[in-house]
Amino acid sequence: MASFTPKAIRDSFVKLLNERPMSQITIRDIVDDCGVNRNTFYYYFQDLPELVKTIVDEDAQRIIREYPTVESIEDCLNAAIDFALKNRKAVLHIYHSVNRDIYEQYQWWVCTHVVTVYVDGILADRTVTDQDRKLLIDYLKCVCFGVIMGWLEEGMNADIQARFQRICELKQGDFEQMITRCEKT
């Protein structure tokens, strides 16, 4: 029962976030939806921002488990937007709330992880300095993060996967050239 209760609270909150903005959700709404009392909520979570942080942290950990390797930059983006695609309204409600920074930090963390795994896989048999490795990771991480934030700012209306695929097509070969330049220096 103990592990079920916080999951029930999280699931109820996400369900409610898919129905209405975060500013219109109270702890009472959550506990009524999942069938626990307020004290039980406060036993597991201090407040709604902590609940949001827990949800995004757990999803980031899930992504880390599910993506021990990343084969392409498109896979990096797909990993980073997985939760958003499954919970569009909830993500937009968090993004447009006072807790937006929690979601942005989550996206930054996920982008960092998946891009690092991807770059380390590509560089496994290459000779690149640690400083250049970090620059390559920072570059791709910023591209992924920027595309995601732009998509969120536009209300998640565009087909982000098609958009990112097109960016990759336009920039095809650029990253390999960057790596080659890193090896020469």
Side-chain angles (χ1 to χ4, degrees), residues 56-106:
V56 297
D57 286 351
E58 286 176 354
D59 196 62
Q61 291 298 326
R62 178 193 59 80
I63 289 169
I64 289 168
R65 281 189 314 275
E66 289 181 9
Y67 290 87
T69 61
V70 179
E71 301 298 321
S72 69
I73 191 64
E74 291 91 342
D75 288 345
C76 293
L77 179 80
N78 289 333
I81 63 169
D82 181 59
F83 182 81
L85 288 174
K86 292 176 183 171
N87 297 283
R88 285 179 180 269
K89 287 183 181 180
V91 167
L92 283 174
H93 287 147
I94 293 170
Y95 183 75
H96 292 296
S97 76
V98 295
N99 296 299
R100 174 185 188 157
D101 64 317
I102 295 170
Y103 190 75
E104 287 176 346
Q105 289 169 4
Y106 156 79

Side-chain angles (χ1 to χ4, degrees), residues 108-161:
W108 188 251
W109 189 30
V110 169
C111 287
T112 299
H113 169 73
V114 293
V115 166
T116 300
V117 169
Y118 171 66
V119 170
D120 286 348
I122 288 176
L123 298 179
D125 59 348
R126 310 288 284 267
T127 306
V128 173
T129 66
D130 286 342
Q131 183 179 4
D132 282 346
R133 175 189 163 274
K134 183 174 177 354
L135 285 172
L136 292 169
I137 290 169
D138 286 347
Y139 168 73
L140 286 181
K141 175 176 57 176
C142 289
V143 169
C144 285
F145 183 78
V147 169
I148 293 167
M149 289 301 110
W151 176 60
L152 288 168
E153 191 60 37
E154 295 170 358
M156 298 170 70
N157 292 321
D159 180 348
I160 190 170
Q161 291 163 314

Side-chain angles (χ1 to χ4, degrees), residues 1 4-6 8-9 12 27-42 44:
M1 179 78 166
F4 169 79
T5 303
I9 292 169
S12 288
I27 292 169
R28 169 65 51 208
D29 295 332
I30 297 167
V31 298
D32 286 350
D33 184 76
C34 68
V36 300
N37 64 44
R38 288 178 67 87
N39 290 338
T40 302
F41 176 93
Y42 288 114
Y44 293 104

Side-chain angles (χ1 to χ4, degrees), residues 3 50 70 165 180:
S3 65
E50 183 184 343
V70 179
Q165 177 66 36
T180 301

